[in-house]
Amino acid sequence: MTAPTASSYPTTPSLRSLPLVTLYLTERCNSRCISCDYWQHGRADMTPEFVSRLLPSLAQLGTRTILISGGEPLIHPQWALIAEQLRASGLRLWLLTSGLSLAKHAVRAAQLFESITVSLDGSNRNTYAAIRGLDAFDKVCAGIRATAEAGVTPSVRVTVQRANYREMAGFVELARRSGARQVSFLAADVSNPHAFGRMAGFAADVALGPLDLPHLERILATMERAHAKDFLSGFIAESPQKLRRILQYYAAICGVGAYPPTRCNAPEFSAVIAADGHVNPCFFIPGPATAQVDGGLVTALNSEPMAALRTDIRERRRPECTRCVCSMWRDLDPAAAPDWSPAALTRPPHTRAALTLPLSDGL
């Protein structure tokens, strides 16, 4: 793992630039996923008035791209109005969705979002229903096709877990048949008790067990041979080496190996704003209780508690970072002229600067 350079981090704890912001439009969700609790207790919705108050801060911070997530953003009754507000301010939009409502909203979504990523955890109806708690596999695939026909070809994101890891090659073929432009894989975060809105006492049979590890190793080896062209073209977003990090992660969960090394400077260029206005430095680490947009986003980002939290993350003092499944890295040296467009952020790794963008949310 290459060590971060001095130019990769600001020289002061203050953030003056925030190119990427994630907005959770809602805590609510119409899926019933076994790895997530948002659908059981999510209530808050972001309002257009809240977004209007946020826009001057985004302009001050030079924000370029907004990732719209949740919960399930497309069940927010005013999702299109909020997207219009953001677009009118010159922001570029990327949607992360479960796809349940995508066929219904395909035309409007294609008009408002430059990139759309659909979270799809089953390559067939039975697996999808077992993980998502709904018989909606055909509906989601129809949404992918409809959005592609409307002018924006979606990518597919797969959270690899015990119920679906044997179908990894099947997801590649499903993505191709459905008209997706790319498929990506990441492990299910089972080590962070706060991920995915989980409540106390959360328990689910999501992680791979020791007996699953040899099977996954063989699956990955077979995929590397059988899908060499898909890796080379970027249709499979990760390299074979990066996919093996999923195996390393689950081996660590099983106590038979170390967690794969992480490289992350996400809080130095991005932030996550929850539906209730709480500001977080990343997807899986909550911000200080006082970090609220209503007090000013710039103030929230540069408060003493938030600056201290960023320092802890930068210095790798947070245990969540060691076990993270989706660390983010971006070269922040101005000489590198980083591209913050949605297209660049989702571009296959071998065609861009080192970046691992997480797609983890309540989906």
Side-chain angles (χ1 to χ4, degrees):
M1 180 177 66
T2 304
T5 63
S7 63
S8 300
Y9 294 122
T11 57
T12 72
S14 296
L15 277 186
R16 303 303 179 194
S17 176
L18 197 70
L20 175 64
V21 171
T22 297
L23 296 183
Y24 286 171
L25 289 198
T26 179
E27 294 176 342
R28 298 178 296 118
C29 189
N30 50 357
S31 293
R32 300 292 182 265
C33 299
I34 61 173
S35 61
C36 179
D37 277 342
Y38 272 118
W39 60 271
Q40 298 195 60
H41 62 80
R43 296 290 184 273
D45 282 349
M46 194 171 284
T47 66
E49 293 76 20
F50 174 92
V51 174
S52 292
R53 295 193 300 271
L54 179 63
L55 290 174
S57 293
L58 297 179
Q60 180 181 348
L61 290 161
T63 301
R64 313 281 186 82
T65 292
I66 302 290
L67 173 60
I68 298 293
S69 185
E72 169 46 49
L74 293 183
I75 66 172
H76 190 298
Q78 296 175 298
W79 71 265
L81 175 59
I82 291 174
E84 289 166 359
Q85 288 178 284
L86 296 166
R87 282 285 299 268
S89 296
L91 292 159
R92 310 176 79 166
L93 305 186
W94 176 10
L95 173 67
L96 176 55
T97 173
S98 67
L100 289 173
S101 305
L102 196 52
K104 176 182 177 181
H105 298 299
V107 173
R108 194 72 185 110
Q111 293 169 343
L112 291 169
F113 296 99
E114 288 189 30
S115 292
I116 297 175
T117 299
V118 179
S119 184
L120 181 60
D121 292 337
S123 68
N124 57 68
R125 292 179 65 184
N126 291 339
T127 305
Y128 182 93
I131 294 174
R132 293 281 173 159
L134 300 169
D135 183 10
F137 173 77
D138 294 333
K139 180 185 291 187
V140 174
C141 292
I144 295 171
R145 292 191 294 270
T147 307
E149 291 168 2
V152 175
T153 307
S155 60
V156 169
R157 190 280 307 274
V158 180
T159 303
V160 179
Q161 52 199 282
R162 177 176 285 186
N164 68 7
Y165 78 92
R166 295 174 186 267
E167 301 173 16
M168 289 182 68
F171 280 110
V172 178
E173 299 308 321
L174 173 63
R176 201 189 317 278
R177 292 196 309 271
S178 300
R181 65 177 177 83
Q182 186 184 69
V183 59
S184 67
F185 300 91
L186 80 163
D189 190 323
V190 297
S191 62
N192 188 335
H194 305 293
F196 304 107
R198 291 168 184 158
M199 299 183 293
F202 172 85
D205 189 21
V206 175
L208 275 65
L211 296 180
D212 297 306
L213 300 179
H215 296 291
L216 177 58
E217 187 169 17
R218 287 192 291 271
I219 288 166
L220 294 175
T222 300
M223 284 182 67
E224 185 172 357
R225 295 191 301 271
H227 292 278
K229 292 182 179 179
D230 292 321
F231 284 113
L232 184 62
S233 70
F235 185 73
I236 299 176
E238 295 78 17
S239 66
Q241 294 75 22
K242 188 171 181 183
L243 281 189
R244 290 188 177 277
R245 291 173 61 89
I246 298 175
L247 177 63
Q248 287 180 271
Y249 174 80
Y250 283 122
I253 292 292
C254 294
V256 294
Y259 285 99
T262 58
R263 187 184 189 215
C264 185
N265 62 349
E268 312 296 339
F269 62 81
S270 66
V272 177
I273 302 177
D276 63 1
H278 189 222
V279 182
N280 303 308
C282 70
F283 287 84
F284 292 142
I285 298 179
T290 55
Q292 295 288 333
V293 167
D294 282 346
L297 179 58
V298 176
T299 299
L301 291 169
N302 292 308
S303 67
E304 186 174 342
M306 183 69 88
L309 178 57
R310 282 199 304 274
T311 298
D312 283 344
I313 294 170
R314 184 185 311 131
E315 300 297 330
R316 303 175 63 83
R317 293 197 288 260
R318 294 288 302 211
E320 301 97 326
C321 299
T322 302
R323 304 188 297 265
C324 186
V325 300
C326 56
S327 54
M328 292 168 70
W329 177 262
R330 190 67 161 176
D331 186 351
L332 302 183
D333 185 346
D339 185 350
W340 297 102
S341 68
L345 293 172
T346 58
R347 197 172 297 148
H350 63 274
T351 64
R352 53 171 163 79
L355 166 69
T356 304
L357 191 71
L359 297 176
S360 298
D361 58 357
L363 299 175

